[in-house]
Amino acid sequence: MRRRLFAAIVVLVALVLQVIVINRLPLPGGVVPDVVLLSVVALALVYGPLPGLVTGFCAGLIADVVPPADHTIGQYAFVFCLVGYAAGLAQTEMDRSSVMPFVAMVVGAVGGCVLYAVLGGLLGDPRITWATARHLVPLTALYDVLLSPFVLYLVFRLGRRFEPIDHDTVLTVGSRTLDRYRSR
Amino acid sequence: MRETGRTRLILALLLVVALGLITIDYRSGDDSPLNGLRTAGSAVFGPMERGTAAVARPIGDTISAISGAPAAQRRIRALEQQNQRLREQARAGQLNKEQAKQLDSMLHLAGLGRYRVVAAQVIAMRGRQGYEETVTLDAGSRDGVKPGQTVVTGDGLVGRVTTTGPSTATVLLLTDASSSVGGRLEGSQQIGVVQGTGNGGTSGRLRFEVLDSQAKLEKGQRIVSFGSHGGKPYVPGVPIGTVDRVEATPGSLTRTAVVSPFVRFTTLDVVGVVVSPPRSDPRDAVLPPKPSPSATPSGSPSATPSGSPSASPSASPSSLAASPGSGG
């Protein structure tokens, strides 16, 4: 329950932050990072595939209707759902190496950008042409990668506080990973 | 293992739901049954954005004020101390005054064209990572804003309203690649289509395609909106931009020009939603006075014969509406 609450808060904060502050940043290239995508990947890395894909779907669906949205409803839901699942699969690998979360973040961020462009292209969206995608996808992915450690750190750090403390069930793998990050 | 199976099942289920939503929304276009979902999104998140924007606005303003001019880095460094001191003094007052000025010029334009506008402020914006160029305004259906209405600033055309919530509205900007507006060359009957190029943030150029391949099209000509039936989605006579360069398109049935818009889309703040269109097409009356001949690179004597380009004299019926604007 607390986890769901935490995931909901992270996604909502990321969404509002995205449309109000981040999209206005005058970054070189006229592109900004996608914080919602990053937070979905980070949450999936903490909680695993099933919560990851559900979080991704919900976050995507909200991102599809948050004003000012004017694309086909379901596009972000589809992409974030897949990305959330894929990132969740990496959760079990997290204990193997300390760079694993960062690799997963990078793969998730790049994969999300590419997938969204491909889906839009398949739907014949007049905005997504090869010329614009060729410019936007690498740059967005780059900004996402640069921002990912911070999002990851915040979600891991704050996520630990939302864990039920007096719960006597066995800790999941994700929580063990949290412990590792906590101890540093 | 059973856990994995369940996860995959739910994954498949949700992906199918997403694809279903895409299909329904995509196939039914403008009268999509999912528009209710968009309106609900506006109703829920609109107030949230409004609330947050009030807090976040000063941050964004400061950031863009500092990094807005990368070309002038050295100058910025020299002026920084002075700037800091002045900004401290001016922050609160200046912001309000700036907005008042924008509001004033917008009302002036509305007076010239006899449009009725509702003033609104930009509170949120889509980034280019989503390929859309749209903004949210803090005025919605409660203020009389409806989908399809034209959005303007004091400088010219901004875009049109696509979705409205009770207190917010989504605007598709002119620069969005899916936006197209009927345009008319100043002082002539030549009409064409103004299309966004989808890179408003960086170059901010539009494309203007003239339907007549024999049309005279040259740098410096200005374009106003042609308008649609009933003033939706675009009201007539709103200034759009200036022809920047004409593209050579041999063999093509239409002629194309690159247009730089009058509105600066990167710094949108106060805008107006035209809630009631003018009774008659204002023609070129709303265009700003022609710049002095020295400013235009190629003095074109042939531009004058058509009579109407001298904007201010022809605006005599509306000068009555214009005078309060200049007085205040």
Side-chain angles (χ1 to χ4, degrees), chain B:
Chain B
M1 206 57 226
R2 257 185 58 212
E3 189 64 23
T4 332
R6 203 175 121 230
T7 304
R8 284 194 189 146
L9 187 71
I10 295 176
L11 174 72
L13 194 78
L14 289 185
L15 288 184
V16 168
V17 170
L19 284 178
L21 287 175
I22 292 175
T23 315
I24 294 170
D25 199 34
Y26 183 73
R27 294 291 295 248
S28 38
D30 275 349
D31 354 282
S32 162
L34 296 178
N35 276 346
L37 214 59
R38 281 204 185 90
T39 313
S42 301
V44 174
F45 290 96
M48 203 190 285
E49 285 178 4
R50 280 177 74 121
T52 324
V55 184
R57 173 171 291 277
I59 306 171
D61 282 340
T62 314
I63 291 173
S64 48
I66 294 168
S67 60
Q73 278 301 343
R74 265 176 304 167
R75 211 175 126 80
I76 286 176
R77 225 172 295 136
L79 290 173
E80 215 157 30
Q81 283 185 323
Q82 186 191 4
N83 199 2
Q84 189 63 39
R85 210 173 51 238
L86 290 174
R87 201 158 52 213
E88 295 286 318
Q89 291 173 359
R91 188 171 290 147
Q94 197 57 43
L95 266 175
N96 293 345
K97 220 155 77 186
E98 190 60 36
Q99 286 176 357
K101 212 169 74 193
Q102 289 180 20
L103 201 62
D104 212 36
S105 81
M106 190 182 70
L107 290 176
H108 181 69
L109 176 123
L112 280 175
R114 301 255 170 119
Y115 311 115
R116 263 193 49 217
V117 298
V118 166
Q121 214 167 10
V122 173
I123 54 173
M125 186 172 237
R126 276 275 159 180
R128 288 190 66 216
Q129 84 281 358
Y131 301 90
E132 313 172 77
E133 290 177 22
T134 49
V135 295
T136 307
L137 305 183
D138 64 351
S141 49
R142 250 185 256 149
D143 309 284
V145 178
K146 294 189 191 76
Q149 286 172 339
T150 311
V151 181
V152 298
T153 66
D155 299 322
L157 188 61
V158 173
R160 70 181 156 89
V161 177
T162 54
T163 321
T164 54
S167 60
T168 55
T170 299
V171 177
L172 184 73
L173 300 183
L174 268 192
T175 50
D176 187 284
S178 70
S179 144
S180 58
V181 192
R184 187 171 55 74
L185 276 176
E186 167 196 15
S188 78
Q189 299 293 341
Q190 294 302 335
I191 57 167
V193 181
V194 179
Q195 281 172 325
T197 50
N199 48 13
T202 48
S203 76
R205 292 286 188 273
L206 309 168
R207 298 177 71 78
F208 181 57
E209 230 174 81
V210 188
L211 301 176
D212 181 2
S213 61
Q214 304 298 313
K216 193 170 67 66
L217 190 59
E218 56 194 28
K219 187 172 170 173
Q221 278 183 302
R222 297 179 296 178
I223 298 167
V224 296
S225 67
F226 182 62
S228 336
H229 180 70
K232 277 184 180 187
Y234 292 102
V235 293
V238 185
I240 294 178
T242 319
V243 172
D244 218 30
R245 134 176 93 77
V246 181
E247 286 188 351
T249 46
S252 169
L253 284 175
T254 57
R255 299 194 66 195
T256 309
V258 176
V259 173
S260 58
F262 286 126
V263 175
R264 283 191 58 198
F265 288 94
T266 44
T267 55
L268 278 180
D269 192 10
V270 174
V271 299
V273 183
V274 180
V275 290
S276 105
R279 252 162 296 170
S280 61
D281 186 347
R283 313 283 305 164
D284 299 333
V286 189
L287 278 171
K290 259 246 187 264
S292 56
S294 57
T296 49
S298 59
S300 53
S302 53
T304 35
S306 38
S308 55
S310 48
S312 30
S314 70
S316 50
S318 46
S319 58
L320 188 129
S323 51
S326 52

Side-chain angles (χ1 to χ4, degrees), chain A residues 77-148:
Chain A
F78 186 87
V79 171
F80 287 178
C81 183
L82 266 183
V83 169
Y85 175 69
L89 288 182
Q91 184 210 37
T92 46
E93 309 290 319
M94 295 261 286
D95 282 343
R96 303 239 175 108
S97 147
S98 55
V99 293
M100 191 60 207
F102 298 101
V103 175
M105 280 299 264
V106 170
V107 172
V110 175
C113 296
V114 173
L115 201 60
Y116 185 80
V118 169
L119 189 61
L122 285 179
L123 286 171
D125 191 331
R127 299 159 176 140
I128 304 180
T129 57
W130 172 239
T132 43
R134 197 180 47 193
H135 165 72
L136 286 183
V137 170
L139 212 52
T140 312
L142 177 71
Y143 284 140
D144 283 354
V145 168
L146 291 181
L147 192 65
S148 63

